[in-house]
Amino acid sequence: MTTRTQVAIIGAGPSGLLLGQLLHKAGIDTVILERQTADYVRGRIRAGILEQVTVDLLKEAGVGERVQREGIVHHSIELVFAGTRHPIDVHGLTGGKVVTAYGQTELTRDLMDARQGLGLPTVYEAADVSVHDFDADKPMVRYRKDGVEHTVQCDFVAGCDGFHGVSRATVKDRITEFERVYPFGWLGVLADVPPASPHAIVYGNSDRGFSLCSMRSLTRSRYYVQCPLDDKVEDWSDKRFWDELRLRLDPGLAGKVITGPSIEKSIAPLRSFVAEPMRFGRLFLAGDAAHIVPPTGAKGLNLAATDVKYLSGAFIEHYRDRSAAGIDTYSQRALRRIWKAERFSWWLTNLMHRFPDTQGFGQRVQEAELDYLVHSRAASTALAENYVGLPL
Ligand code: APR
Ligand code: PHB
């Protein structure tokens, strides 16, 4: 079967769904092709800190209502090191900017519900998606569904299919990859208990390793501890996790950690990755398809959102103004912001974790930098302005 659309979007993660929503608002037709089932996409658990730019974009896309109502605004973050907690007044240091705690799971649900409510086409369980003729004027995407072959003819293809997707793989000979892998993982636990620190995300550096206190709501907490990459989730009973978390925090905060049964527990590796460029004729990459950051600093979802902002703007300029300017500059504009977030996430990861191969010198430098950071207004401001998100 052959269908036609203006923009074929591969992947129904946050990037693909948000792009579809913004294009719909501008009167542009899309079809989304997703490999997984809708339930699988809805159930994924990931980070949950939104920059103001991301919240504004959700509003612009018509899906900002629940995040504004239920998202929890944070004015500060805290750093724990040497057994002491240090607040960083992000709001004050950035002239009034904040971040919002709102789970990616909730955001995905809002976007899926909106798309479904509008009756826009999304094909779940689309198998063997492949992209063709994107160097010519009339690209197409092929896939198989329930054993039947389909072709989508389109003007543009948006590769929003994540790190393991087909879009980047299709152009792998034309890409330069930049990568750094880190010698540890994050063990994350989700639990229906009130957060120990409801007003600020806490990043902890201790001689036992990194820890993070975050939240999804006033009754649901998200915590992480740095762990060896070869650890298995089964090695970590709930009790072991809670004990370890407390040992990595300052005594005051450790005393506030309320424990309960985990409702999700997983280990994720940490990686920095960028693929350049992000445009190949009429095929564009956006979000995790083009770049990955380690979760320290929560930039992954926010970067995906700004890629989509640039890309939707480029398509709108093409159709509305008959201008190729946005399309021609997409890759360059997106990469400029991406590399700043890559730098920040890499820096914060280096600052807050124990590296197995760090010698005494590296350790002392890390301690000195943390001390400098919390006592220098200039250094705290640099952290704060990156944390809330750099200007577009
Ligand atoms: N065909 C169709 N769909 C695919 C294919 C394929 N060959 N490969 C992957 N997909 C789908 C995945 O199943 C997934 O639903 O593409 C989607 C990509 O979604 P994400 O991985 O969430 O990537 P993205 O939308 O760019 O979101 C970035 O989400 O993963 C987090 O940390 C990341 O916060 C960041 C944000
Ligand atoms: C999360 O809430 O999952 C989270 C928060 C901050 C981070 C990373 C993850 O830097």
Side-chain angles (χ1 to χ4, degrees), residues 10-16 33-36 41 44 46 104 129 160-162 164-166 286-288 300-301 304:
I10 308 177
S15 302
L33 305 174
E34 165 60 50
R35 180 165 59 184
Q36 304 286 356
V41 171
R44 276 191 298 229
R46 278 151 173 189
Q104 186 171 317
V129 171
C160 299
D161 47 352
H164 301 289
V166 66
D288 276 17
L301 177 57

Side-chain angles (χ1 to χ4, degrees), residues 228-273:
L229 265 178
D230 49 10
D231 270 17
K232 302 274 168 287
V233 171
E234 305 75 66
D235 301 336
W236 286 87
S237 65
D238 285 0
K239 179 172 182 329
R240 181 176 171 208
F241 178 84
W242 294 119
D243 289 348
E244 186 61 36
L245 176 69
R246 285 190 172 122
L247 286 170
R248 295 184 188 195
L249 300 172
D250 66 289
L253 189 58
K256 292 204 182 103
V257 173
I258 301 170
T259 64
S262 61
I263 52 176
E264 195 261 354
K265 198 188 281 165
S266 53
I267 294 177
L270 275 70
R271 180 198 303 270
S272 296
F273 173 87

